[in-house]
Amino acid sequence: MHYSLCDMIADITQNSIEAGANHIALECVQNADALNVTVQDDGKGMSKETLVKAQNPFYTDGIKHPKRKVGLGIPFLIQTAEETNGFWNIQSEPGKGTTVTMRFNLKNIDTPPVGSLSELFFSVMTLPGEYDMDIHRVDFVAQRDYSFNRNELKEALGGELSSAASQLLLKKFIDSQETGA
């Protein structure tokens, strides 16, 4: 199992990038009882048959990771959601993309810790590739609601997110959104 919910969300988001998505929307809405997450992309999508296979931990298409014999991201999502009174849903259509919806019950003793959402956002924004990403975060407990866009931040940081200087500024910006400082 993943160490934190953020690890699981990062894995699902990375799937979108690896599926050739040009645009990804990541939304995290949290209240005292639950963390609701949606990852939506315009990547290659999956057929109904492939989506069923992807739920099996011993299935991999052999394309993304040619040496791997297992694909655990979706099976871990399903296991975590089902064993902690959460929810998951995956809608996908070939050529149109995929939407993964997940709800984690934060009151269940078996739910992994949330982890650092600012680290999650930084991590997925700096994954290599030419994709755009919108991140929307709502935290009803801390009374925070913010959004930002990868391409806009990339442009503001000189057109790239790979240098140490750009990453430091990006990290400070995301942390300031999450902490309100």
Side-chain angles (χ1 to χ4, degrees):
M1 188 160 304
H2 290 85
Y3 174 72
S4 73
L5 297 179
C6 285
D7 294 332
M8 188 173 308
I9 298 163
D11 184 65
I12 298 297
T13 306
Q14 186 172 359
N15 287 348
S16 294
I17 295 165
E18 292 172 349
N22 291 312
H23 186 264
I24 302 159
L26 170 59
E27 180 176 61
C28 297
V29 179
Q30 185 174 351
N31 61 39
D33 297 329
L35 175 64
N36 297 288
V37 179
T38 302
V39 179
Q40 183 175 21
D41 70 54
D42 63 357
K44 67 180 180 180
M46 294 180 275
S47 68
K48 289 180 183 178
E49 295 79 19
T50 302
L51 183 54
V52 169
K53 290 178 186 177
Q55 296 174 40
N56 178 342
F58 300 104
Y59 169 78
T60 181
D61 64 9
I63 297 169
K64 264 190 337 189
H65 306 286
K67 296 183 182 194
R68 262 193 216 166
K69 302 293 184 218
V70 296
L72 299 175
I74 291 172
F76 276 155
L77 163 65
I78 294 168
Q79 178 185 12
T80 301
E82 289 180 351
E83 290 184 0
T84 60
N85 300 318
F87 169 83
W88 67 276
N89 184 44
I90 303 173
Q91 299 291 319
S92 192
E93 188 175 338
K96 299 215 175 184
T98 302
T99 300
V100 179
T101 307
M102 48 198 121
R103 179 183 188 278
F104 300 107
N105 178 353
L106 300 178
K107 298 292 186 182
N108 189 299
I109 193 167
D110 293 323
T111 300
V114 172
S116 170
L117 286 165
S118 63
E119 290 290 332
L120 164 69
F121 299 153
F122 175 79
S123 174
V124 297
M125 295 283 274
T126 57
L127 287 168
E130 292 301 318
Y131 58 93
D132 193 16
M133 182 181 296
D134 288 311
I135 292 181
H136 183 207
R137 164 88 159 120
V138 179
D139 183 345
F140 289 107
V141 176
Q143 299 181 342
R144 249 181 232 102
D145 185 341
Y146 61 86
S147 300
F148 50 88
N149 173 274
R150 183 177 192 261
N151 281 351
E152 289 174 4
L153 289 172
K154 193 173 172 181
E155 184 179 321
L157 294 170
E160 56 87 24
L161 297 176
S162 59
S163 74
S166 292
Q167 288 185 2
L168 180 62
L169 290 171
L170 177 63
K171 180 75 173 102
K172 285 182 180 183
F173 171 75
I174 294 171
D175 287 344
S176 73
Q177 298 300 298
E178 187 61 24
T179 63

